[in-house]
Amino acid sequence: MKTLLFKAHIFLTLIFQNMALNPSSLPVVHKKLDVVPLEDIQKVLNKGLQTNFQHVEVTLVDCPDLTKKPFTLAKPGIGGSTKLVEVGGPPYLLPKVQRNKVYDLKDIAKLANADNTFIIGAGAGPHPFAGKNCEGIFNLVLENGTVNQQTRIAKVAPVNENCEQEILPNSETRMALLGNLFFSEGKPSKVLKVHAKVRTGKLDFIASIRECLEKEYPDKLVGLGGTFLLKEGQAKQHVMRDFSKTPLNNEEDLNNWLKFYNMSAPLVAVGTLVNGDGGLDLRVQHFHSFSNHGEAGHYHNDITPATVEYLGYFNIGEEIYRIDAPIETHTFGRD
Ligand code: ZN
């Protein structure tokens, strides 16, 4: 009897470890984004970001090789068939976790009509792999059936609650609960280079860009994706603790459950932003960052406005895919 139970346990563990939702069960909504010229966005940001930063320089450049330091992404560029892909949402985490919400990014890529693609972005890491809840800093290439996985996950260590970062193996391509991803062919292209120093306003780097786009294009849906480097300074970032045993019913419960850190530059962030909801229940901005010094997590804002320096490269998304949007939604947990 004991052996039987043991076998059943192993069997269930294996199923759980290999678990991902059946892609045919996932609802997909697809919409074209408004592709305004990058030159126009350049002008809008050059002017608008000055309300939040002392030094601002936005230029249109050929994308530098992002596989090189300090960015070390899995592909050199963020051009070609660009898409924002939002999967799941905070209602699958809050107030209570839905552990079955595990997605294989290979399936997600197929649903987004992108079999060969470079994926970067922010989401929940694969808890069946990590053995607990974790952040995902997604950075991987799916090409002709092969995987180049450079995604990091970040966890809160037991006892001392330090941040633990690790890189996923090529065999692990899952994401859990929610994610905001930018898909491209990883090709060279013109991109927006956004360089900002010394923060004089209240907004974080991404919110400052997003608000410029909200003001300029109120009747359009404009989405950007890409990467930025926190070059100097420190950022407030969180890492999710393991799933809460009690329901998290509001922002206060949530903030008590999250573990906040002050993380130091250089940090490399990846994610997406969009200037509106588009009727798709979108998370309007979401960036996670990793580092080569062990720190990684969800970016909120820098805590060193006088010395902070940001350097970002962004491209515009041509379309958006909203996959497995929660039917019952709420607005907390989106900061
Ligand atoms: Zn996050």
Side-chain angles (χ1 to χ4, degrees):
M1 185 61 189
K2 255 187 185 168
T3 333
L4 245 178
L5 276 173
F6 183 68
K7 276 185 182 162
H9 171 78
I10 295 284
F11 181 67
L12 284 171
T13 307
L14 282 173
I15 285 184
F16 189 58
Q17 276 172 354
N18 294 310
M19 171 185 86
L21 286 164
N22 182 350
S24 64
S25 71
L26 303 175
V28 179
V29 180
H30 169 236
K31 211 172 179 176
K32 292 267 181 218
L33 288 170
D34 289 298
V35 183
V36 295
L38 289 179
E39 290 85 351
D40 293 358
I41 298 180
Q42 179 200 352
K43 281 182 204 139
V44 168
L45 295 184
N46 251 326
K47 186 162 174 260
L49 292 184
Q50 290 184 26
T51 58
N52 208 58
F53 292 96
Q54 196 169 72
H55 303 284
V56 175
E57 191 181 15
V58 185
T59 46
L60 205 54
V61 299
D62 290 315
C63 193
D65 186 347
L66 296 172
T67 63
K68 296 221 169 95
K69 280 184 181 172
F71 287 94
T72 64
L73 299 188
K75 273 278 196 184
I78 47 173
S81 305
T82 55
K83 309 164 202 278
L84 273 68
V85 179
E86 176 159 353
V87 183
Y92 295 156
L93 174 68
L94 311 165
K96 274 178 157 173
V97 64
Q98 297 183 33
R99 285 177 186 263
N100 68 321
K101 291 294 181 184
V102 176
Y103 311 93
D104 193 323
L105 291 176
K106 288 177 187 163
D107 298 331
I108 296 297
K110 285 197 185 94
L111 292 175
N113 278 316
D115 282 350
N116 293 324
T117 192
F118 172 38
I119 302 172
I120 50 175
H127 61 83
F129 172 84
K132 66 200 285 190
N133 190 21
C134 57
E135 302 289 342
I137 305 95
F138 292 92
N139 173 24
L140 69 155
V141 183
L142 304 175
E143 213 157 39
N144 305 319
T146 66
V147 178
N148 175 12
Q149 180 61 283
Q150 302 288 324
T151 297
R152 272 77 165 177
I153 57 172
K155 299 179 277 189
V156 178
V159 191
N160 64 14
E161 295 216 306
N162 285 342
C163 168
E164 286 180 332
Q165 177 187 242
E166 73 178 280
I167 192 156
L168 293 179
N170 286 343
S171 56
E172 179 55 67
T173 51
R174 288 173 300 176
M175 178 178 79
L177 308 172
L178 58 94
N180 295 83
L181 307 168
F182 189 71
F183 282 41
S184 73
E185 291 168 5
K187 288 182 176 165
S189 70
K190 289 283 183 208
V191 290
L192 289 160
K193 177 184 181 184
V194 184
H195 190 197
K197 281 199 285 191
V198 185
R199 184 167 54 81
T200 51
K202 287 206 172 99
L203 298 176
D204 66 80
F205 183 54
I206 295 302
S208 66
I209 295 172
R210 183 172 53 76
E211 290 214 345
C212 290
L213 300 179
E214 281 178 18
K215 279 186 194 143
E216 186 68 20
Y217 306 111
D219 303 321
K220 290 186 161 77
L221 191 60
V222 178
L224 300 182
T227 181
F228 74 84
L229 176 71
L230 180 83
K231 211 172 164 185
E232 291 291 337
Q234 281 195 312
K236 177 186 172 187
Q237 303 216 123
H238 78 236
V239 177
M240 295 183 289
R241 289 190 171 97
D242 201 8
F243 298 122
S244 176
K245 289 185 176 69
T246 54
L248 304 169
N249 288 316
N250 49 51
E251 209 77 40
E252 194 187 350
D253 288 353
L254 172 65
N255 287 333
N256 286 331
W257 169 70
L258 293 170
K259 171 73 184 169
F260 286 93
Y261 300 88
N262 295 332
M263 297 187 181
S264 298
L267 296 171
V268 177
V270 282
T272 64
L273 66 114
V274 62
N275 73 336
D277 175 71
L280 297 173
D281 190 25
L282 301 178
R283 189 167 183 158
V284 291
Q285 67 176 73
H286 198 187
F287 277 75
H288 285 181
S289 68
F290 67 92
S291 72
N292 290 314
H293 54 270
E295 294 181 319
H298 171 114
Y299 168 78
H300 287 266
N301 200 351
D302 64 83
I303 54 159
T304 50
T307 54
V308 78
E309 180 172 357
Y310 291 99
L311 174 64
Y313 294 100
F314 303 97
N315 201 359
I316 193 162
E318 294 164 0
E319 48 189 348
I320 187 160
Y321 284 82
R322 184 73 179 94
I323 298 174
D324 199 28
I327 293 164
E328 281 185 37
T329 194
H330 54 59
T331 55
F332 78 104
R334 298 185 184 209
D335 186 7

